[in-house]
């Protein structure tokens, strides 16, 4: 049985108040279904107009895998910050670890990537998540990421 939803839809305006990231490095458009078990789904609408496609690759645009991992981390950051009660101001979120990373299928302009993140551990301000990036329900990448929240 899934845990109850705490935040059904975190829109871009709330993300901008939550994370310090900005263009061109804010890599999620929304986060949905943040649950009490500290899971949630980040959404990224991949557009051909993004700067990465200028060089990756002009003849066959493929969304860079490292940007998907960053999107996972940003989703995890929103889940963590929104879940900590009493958090009013934006906090910095720093990567700690990236483990068991696998890329399974290329992501192209026009795809919508969903970052399905589930917390696997927490110690004070450090959080660990397992993430699966999916396009149309199919896993395109996965990784375990760790992050630290800081003021």
């Amino acid at each position: 049985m899934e845990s109850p939803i705490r935040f059904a839809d975190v829109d871009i305006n709330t993300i901008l108040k939550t994370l310090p990231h900005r263009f061109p490095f804010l890599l999620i458009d929304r986060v949905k279904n943040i649950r009490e078990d500290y899971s949630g789904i980040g959404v990224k609408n991949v557009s051909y107009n993004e700067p990465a496609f200028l060089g990756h690759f002009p003849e066959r645009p493929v969304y860079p895998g490292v940007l998907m991992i960053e999107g996972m981390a940003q989703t995890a950051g929103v889940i963590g910050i929104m879940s900590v009660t009493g958090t009013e101001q934006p906090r910095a979120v720093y990567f700690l670890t990236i483990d068991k990373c696998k890329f399974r299928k290329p992501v192209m302009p026009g795809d919508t990537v969903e970052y399905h993140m589930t917390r696997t551990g927490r110690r004070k301000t450090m959080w660990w998540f397992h993430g699966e990036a999916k396009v149309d329900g199919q896993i395109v990448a996965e990784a375990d990421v760790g992050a630290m929240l800081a003021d």
Side-chain angles (χ1 to χ4, degrees):
M1 183 171 142
E2 291 184 315
S3 68
I5 293 174
R6 289 188 65 194
F7 304 98
D9 188 48
V10 179
D11 65 14
I12 191 64
N13 293 318
T14 305
I15 291 170
L16 289 168
K17 292 175 189 170
T18 306
L19 294 178
H21 303 77
R22 295 295 179 265
F23 178 85
F25 224 72
L26 180 60
L27 301 175
I28 54 176
D29 298 315
R30 70 183 335 101
V31 181
K32 59 186 184 179
N33 300 339
I34 297 178
R35 297 184 178 276
E36 289 183 5
D37 65 355
Y38 307 105
S39 65
I41 302 168
V43 178
K44 168 64 177 166
N45 297 303
V46 179
S47 168
Y48 181 74
N49 295 325
E50 296 183 47
F53 291 126
L54 290 172
H56 200 270
F57 301 97
E59 300 300 317
R60 184 170 188 261
V62 175
Y63 193 66
V66 295
L67 298 184
M68 284 191 280
I69 301 306
E70 176 65 23
M72 288 182 193
Q74 290 179 14
T75 300
V78 170
I79 294 167
I81 290 169
M82 298 283 297
S83 298
V84 174
T85 55
T87 302
E88 300 292 329
Q89 62 198 24
R91 295 175 150 204
V93 181
Y94 299 109
F95 252 131
L96 290 174
T97 61
I98 305 168
D99 294 305
K100 300 178 186 169
C101 182
K102 296 178 182 149
F103 301 105
R104 303 196 177 279
K105 185 177 180 219
V107 172
M108 314 299 268
D111 287 342
T112 298
V113 182
E114 290 188 341
Y115 300 115
H116 294 253
M117 305 302 295
T118 303
R119 187 188 76 173
T120 57
R122 179 180 178 192
R123 191 171 350 145
K124 296 184 182 180
T125 61
M126 296 176 286
W127 296 64
W128 290 269
F129 285 82
H130 175 72
E132 294 179 342
K134 297 181 180 183
V135 173
D136 295 327
Q138 185 177 19
I139 297 174
V140 296
E142 61 185 300
D144 293 335
V145 298
M148 180 175 70
L149 304 182
D151 291 325

